[in-house]
């Protein structure tokens, strides 16, 4: 892909979806720990006072724990935002409000903003009293901060997720209005709008038929048709707005598929060798890093483990993975644990 760097020698430790997804996000497949999004926000801080620093647009089923800050302070946890479907008038306004409630359910339609503020002040006073009694309580600190953010978001988020002001040319660019590409196209457009508004780390997932144990040709072709145009539209839109040089775009799954068949028309899980790509930021465009063996089964040249991938991503964000640590349970933890090597050949 022109303008993107391909990583053709990825490998991870387990070929199981749930554990591999956890490792892809947190660097560890055994215990829930802070994810890449949480670590990025911890290292870089937030840009916007009125929006979360880490957002997952419709978090994948069974992955909500990845939004948790784990042992890092609660202020760095991620927020799950639901996509408002295409609609008009009162229905659109109601669905925008539901999207906000999906982040932090503090909205009370029976109260004016002034009375809601008084109600929240009372709740926060109780939280502060708990802090005084029990001293260090990271979870309570996180609740206090998330309630305040949720209150401020009520004014900011509706305008960000409302795409009605976008031009028809932009909607077409993302494939919005086309039955095949509309859903993912809206996610990609919302990601661009969130990035424009100062959200540091944005994740979106496509819930297509990628787990192709059978009927691979039809299912994979369908999924690719659903995402290709929106992804190309996102990259083009970021570039023409002069945002791509400051935005790192990553496309990845938790592992790959075997080069040999399964059941005649499918492919099994393969954690030994697979491909991802990155674009924007300081990534060298049109460059392929590493390769698998002659069968496409196992990473062979410039092997990149998940720890190396995380180290490289943090480096591209301006963070040193060895210095980005947090003291917990008597030792310094980091995203890459005690491993990780930056793939400098990928850097522009």
């Amino acid at each position: 892909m022109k303008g993107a760097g391909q990583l053709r020698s990825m490998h991870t430790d387990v070929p199981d979806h749930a554990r591999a997804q956890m490792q892809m996000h947190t660097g560890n497949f055994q215990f829930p720990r802070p994810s890449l999004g949480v670590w990025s926000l911890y290292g870089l801080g937030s840009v916007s006072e009125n929006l979360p620093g880490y957002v997952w647009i419709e978090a994948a089923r069974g992955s909500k724990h990845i939004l948790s800050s784990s042992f890092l302070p609660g202020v760095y946890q991620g927020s799950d935002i639901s996509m408002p479907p295409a609609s008009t008038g009162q229905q659109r306004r109601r669905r925008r409000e539901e999207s906000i409630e999906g982040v932090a359910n503090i909205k009370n339609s029976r109260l004016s903003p002034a009375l809601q503020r008084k109600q929240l002040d009372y709740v926060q006073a109780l939280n502060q009293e708990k802090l005084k009694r029990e001293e260090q309580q990271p979870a309570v600190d996180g609740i206090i901060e998330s309630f305040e953010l949720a209150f401020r978001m009520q004014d900011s988020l509706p305008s960000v997720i409302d795409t009605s002001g976008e031009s028809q040319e932009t909607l077409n660019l993302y494939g919005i209005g086309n039955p095949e590409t509309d859903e993912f196209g809206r996610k990609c457009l919302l990601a661009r709008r969130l990035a424009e508004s100062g959200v540091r780390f944005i994740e979106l997932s496509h819930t297509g038929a990628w787990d192709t144990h059978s009927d691979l040709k039809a299912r994979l072709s369908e999924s690719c048709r659903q995402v290709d145009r929106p992804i190309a539209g996102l990259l083009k839109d970021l570039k023409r707005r002069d945002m791509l040089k400051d935005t790192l775009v990553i496309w990845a799954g938790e592992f790959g598929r075997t080069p040999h068949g399964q059941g005649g028309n499918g492919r099994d899980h393969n954690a030994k060798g697979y491909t991802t790509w990155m674009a924007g930021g300081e990534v060298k465009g049109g460059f392929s890093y590493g390769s698998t063996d002659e069968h496409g089964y196992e990473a062979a040249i410039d092997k990149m483990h998940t720890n190396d991938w995380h180290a490289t991503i943090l480096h591209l964000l301006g963070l040193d993975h060895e210095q980005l640590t947090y003291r917990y349970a008597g030792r310094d933890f980091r995203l890459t644990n005690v491993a990780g090597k930056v793939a400098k050949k990928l850097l522009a």
Side-chain angles (χ1 to χ4, degrees):
M1 178 184 297
K2 186 177 180 181
Q6 299 179 64
L7 286 64
R8 298 185 173 220
S9 54
M10 289 291 300
H11 65 105
T12 191
D13 294 327
V14 287
D16 169 76
H17 284 298
R19 291 189 295 166
Q21 286 174 5
M22 184 184 294
Q23 185 169 29
M24 179 180 75
H25 284 91
T26 71
N28 186 287
F29 66 84
Q30 296 170 304
F31 310 105
R33 288 182 176 170
S35 68
L36 173 61
V38 174
W39 279 109
S40 300
L41 186 57
Y42 169 62
L44 296 171
S46 183
V47 176
S48 173
E49 291 185 356
N50 300 323
L51 292 171
Y54 168 28
V55 165
W56 193 337
I57 302 171
E58 295 192 339
R61 186 178 62 184
S63 300
K64 294 293 182 74
H65 64 279
I66 293 167
L67 292 165
S68 167
S69 59
S70 187
F71 53 72
L72 282 172
V75 67
Y76 300 114
Q77 69 185 11
S79 298
D80 178 16
I81 293 182
S82 300
M83 275 295 300
S87 54
T88 58
Q90 184 178 1
Q91 186 182 27
R92 181 190 294 152
R93 287 192 297 273
R94 177 173 59 81
R95 283 172 172 166
R96 285 206 303 264
E97 290 175 356
E98 289 172 354
S99 297
I100 298 167
E101 288 184 352
V103 179
N105 191 6
I106 68 165
K107 189 171 180 64
N108 189 334
S109 57
R110 295 173 298 175
L111 299 180
S112 68
L115 287 176
Q116 190 182 354
R117 179 70 255 182
K118 287 189 69 174
Q119 183 186 59
L120 182 56
D121 286 342
Y122 175 67
V123 173
Q124 298 293 53
L126 295 177
N127 287 331
Q128 292 290 351
E129 282 297 318
K130 181 175 176 64
L131 280 180
K132 289 179 183 177
R133 290 196 309 270
E134 302 181 21
E135 296 181 354
Q136 189 174 5
Q137 283 287 335
V140 178
D141 281 327
I143 288 172
I144 291 172
E145 190 64 32
S146 66
F147 279 5
E148 290 296 332
L149 176 60
F151 182 80
R152 298 193 300 271
M153 283 173 62
Q154 293 177 108
D155 291 328
S156 302
L157 189 60
S159 61
V160 175
I161 67 176
D162 182 6
T163 60
S164 60
E166 296 284 350
S167 69
Q168 188 61 49
E169 185 273 335
T170 297
L171 299 180
N172 293 340
L173 184 67
Y174 285 87
I176 295 171
N178 182 309
E180 276 194 317
T181 54
D182 184 84
E183 182 180 353
F184 194 67
R186 289 183 182 278
K187 288 183 179 181
C188 288
L189 178 56
L190 178 54
R192 189 219 82 201
R193 292 175 65 87
L194 288 168
E196 269 184 321
S197 301
V199 177
R200 282 285 195 190
F201 193 100
I202 305 152
E203 181 163 356
L204 55 151
S205 52
H206 177 259
T207 54
W210 299 103
D211 195 18
T212 49
H213 292 282
S214 61
D215 198 18
L216 181 146
K217 185 175 181 180
R219 297 172 71 197
L220 186 60
S221 296
E222 179 184 22
S223 293
C224 289
R225 287 194 301 269
Q226 291 170 356
V227 302
D228 281 356
R229 183 174 174 183
I231 291 169
L234 173 62
L235 294 175
K236 183 176 180 179
D237 204 13
L238 288 172
K239 186 172 183 179
R240 71 183 183 179
R241 292 169 184 271
D242 200 32
M243 293 175 62
L244 188 58
K245 62 181 174 51
D246 300 316
T247 306
L248 179 64
V249 181
I250 302 168
W251 176 264
E254 66 270 30
F255 45 61
R257 315 299 298 192
T258 56
H260 56 78
Q262 180 186 23
N265 60 0
R267 295 287 189 272
D268 205 353
H269 302 173
N270 182 18
K272 295 180 180 293
Y274 58 101
T275 297
T276 68
W277 60 258
M278 298 189 288
E282 295 296 319
V283 174
K284 187 183 296 183
F287 177 74
S288 293
Y289 179 89
S291 65
T292 54
D293 59 27
E294 60 182 344
H295 303 294
Y297 178 70
E298 186 171 358
I301 299 173
D302 288 332
K303 297 173 66 172
M304 179 173 281
H305 185 267
T306 305
N307 295 139
D308 306 317
W309 187 57
H310 284 158
T312 303
I313 292 170
L314 290 178
H315 180 86
L316 289 164
L317 296 178
L319 298 168
D320 185 336
H321 75 105
E322 293 183 340
Q323 298 299 315
L324 187 65
T325 63
Y326 188 81
R327 192 78 176 174
Y328 174 72
R331 76 176 181 92
D332 290 333
F333 280 80
R334 69 188 206 208
L335 174 64
T336 52
N337 199 5
V338 294
K341 184 178 180 181
V342 176
K344 294 184 178 179
K345 294 180 183 178
L346 265 174
L347 309 182

